[in-house]
Amino acid sequence: MTDVRPPADVSHEEPSSTESHDLSLSYESGVEVKARSQWAYVRMRFLRHRLAVVSLVALILIALVGVFAPQLAPYGFDEVNFDNTTRSPTFEGWHLFGTDQLGRDYLSRVIYGIRTSLWVAVFVALLSTALGTAVGALAGFYSGRVDNLLMRFTDLVLTLPGLAVLLTAAAFFGSGDPLEIGLILALLFWTSIARIVRGLFLSLREKEFVEAARAAGAGDLRIIVRHMLPNCVGPIIVNTTLVVAAAILVEAALSFLGFGIQPPNAALGKLISDGQGEGFEVWWLVTFPGLVIVTIALCINFVGDGLRDALDPTQRRVRA
């Protein structure tokens, strides 16, 4: 009689010694596999963008110089010395950037100018980004009449001649105070981020996770802030860095034309305006503030370029 036995239960089969050794290899060798978060990949991609990293370090150093201007400046901003007027750059007396028509140390004036210009630029970037993000989020989330109303107003602001509006507003409403100049610039710089956020929200509002949040009883504000806005962080951060660079250049242009920050406040554009009447004989009065403005703008643009590549989820190419 044939002995019929049931097939062996492979689900309860004990692993061999070799398999057990392979399974425990990671524990014995101390090698563990850790899942990387999205921000870990962002940080890794940004750190491999060498030009962006170098620019970020340089920008941080320039910002620290501006923040600690009273401690780092060798002389006071308005310290006059008529015995040392229009002196070319020299190590004697630490007049590395020379002196102006009143004998004031130009290195000290540039350091104080960095602090004012960066403060205005960061204020403009934060305020315009907050305003533009709010307008774009509301327009993209609700669409319909709300979208038409907000976007037509945005288009109206975009059609205005920027420089003419800035000059007129600065002449009538600004008194040369950095805060007032920052408010005027922010009220004209919010349109680009508003259009970007609006386009992102129009695509995100149809996603499954938004429908799930709405079905779970989440309110509109919670859906916007907790579910949709975090998916727009990348473009918002990149745009904010570009606004900082643009704000520095526009503020310098306004100060150069006499409609921006006025004495006793220091500003890089005002320093160039004060020195441009001396011509090539006193070249340092225009050269050094101009080089600082160009350096800051280039560093911010390179950092923005690195952030754009790092925050792009479709970016697969790693810069050498």
Side-chain angles (χ1 to χ4, degrees):
M1 183 176 181
T2 305
D3 186 10
V4 179
R5 297 181 181 180
D9 189 359
V10 295
S11 62
H12 297 286
E13 184 177 343
E14 294 293 335
S16 62
S17 59
T18 304
E19 293 175 344
S20 301
H21 177 72
D22 293 339
L23 291 175
S24 60
L25 180 61
S26 60
Y27 299 99
E28 294 176 357
S29 60
V31 178
E32 296 182 5
V33 178
K34 294 183 179 180
R36 289 178 176 174
S37 65
Q38 180 63 29
W39 289 108
Y41 283 105
V42 169
R43 184 172 60 253
M44 181 177 62
R45 287 195 294 263
F46 181 81
L47 291 177
R48 293 189 180 183
H49 195 302
R50 297 179 181 178
L51 188 57
V53 173
V54 173
S55 300
L56 179 61
V57 173
L59 190 61
I60 291 175
L61 293 177
I62 294 174
L64 290 176
V65 169
V67 170
F68 296 100
Q71 291 76 24
L72 297 177
Y75 297 90
F77 175 75
D78 285 328
E79 187 175 338
V80 178
N81 184 3
F82 291 107
D83 297 328
N84 201 25
T85 59
T86 58
R87 188 174 185 179
S88 60
T90 178
F91 284 98
E92 184 179 352
W94 288 100
H95 297 296
L96 302 181
F97 286 4
T99 61
D100 63 2
Q101 304 89 332
L102 300 179
R104 294 173 295 189
D105 179 64
Y106 226 59
L107 174 61
S108 302
R109 292 174 66 78
V110 169
I111 290 175
Y112 277 91
I114 291 173
R115 181 172 66 170
T116 303
S117 297
L118 279 181
W119 184 92
V120 172
V122 172
F123 176 78
V124 171
L126 294 179
L127 182 58
S128 63
T129 298
L131 181 60
T133 300
V135 172
L138 293 175
F141 183 80
Y142 289 107
S143 67
R145 294 182 178 179
V146 176
D147 183 25
N148 289 330
L149 178 62
L150 293 178
M151 285 300 101
R152 296 299 76 76
F153 177 71
T154 303
D155 293 338
L156 176 62
V157 177
L158 282 172
T159 58
L160 297 175
L163 185 58
V165 173
L166 287 172
L167 293 176
T168 303
F172 282 95
F173 304 107
S175 59
D177 183 72
L179 180 60
E180 294 179 355
I181 299 299
L183 287 173
I184 294 172
L185 294 177
L187 292 177
L188 290 176
F189 275 45
W190 59 271
T191 53
S192 60
I193 187 60
R195 295 173 68 90
I196 293 173
V197 174
R198 182 245 184 187
L200 293 172
F201 265 66
L202 284 176
S203 62
L204 290 174
R205 67 192 299 267
E206 306 297 335
K207 298 294 184 180
E208 292 79 3
F209 68 89
V210 176
E211 296 295 335
R214 187 178 288 108
D220 293 347
L221 182 61
R222 181 179 178 83
I223 293 176
I224 292 174
V225 176
R226 295 292 301 276
H227 299 282
M228 300 180 69
L229 198 58
N231 291 277
C232 306
V233 170
I236 291 175
I237 292 177
V238 173
N239 185 83
T240 302
T241 60
L242 299 179
V243 169
V244 172
I248 286 180
L249 296 176
V250 174
E251 180 275 322
L254 286 176
S255 299
F256 177 78
L257 295 174
F259 294 91
I261 299 173
Q262 301 298 325
N265 297 301
L268 295 175
K270 184 61 179 175
L271 295 180
I272 297 176
S273 177
D274 293 340
Q276 59 93 23
E278 297 296 326
F280 292 104
E281 296 181 359
V282 195
W283 54 269
W284 55 90
L285 299 184
V286 175
T287 301
F288 290 116
L291 287 177
V292 172
I293 292 176
V294 172
T295 302
I296 294 175
L298 286 177
C299 288
I300 294 175
N301 283 321
F302 287 140
V303 171
D305 183 62
L307 289 174
R308 181 196 61 198
D309 292 345
L311 292 170
D312 185 4
T314 63
Q315 180 72 20
R316 291 294 180 266
R317 182 173 62 91
V318 179
R319 293 178 180 265

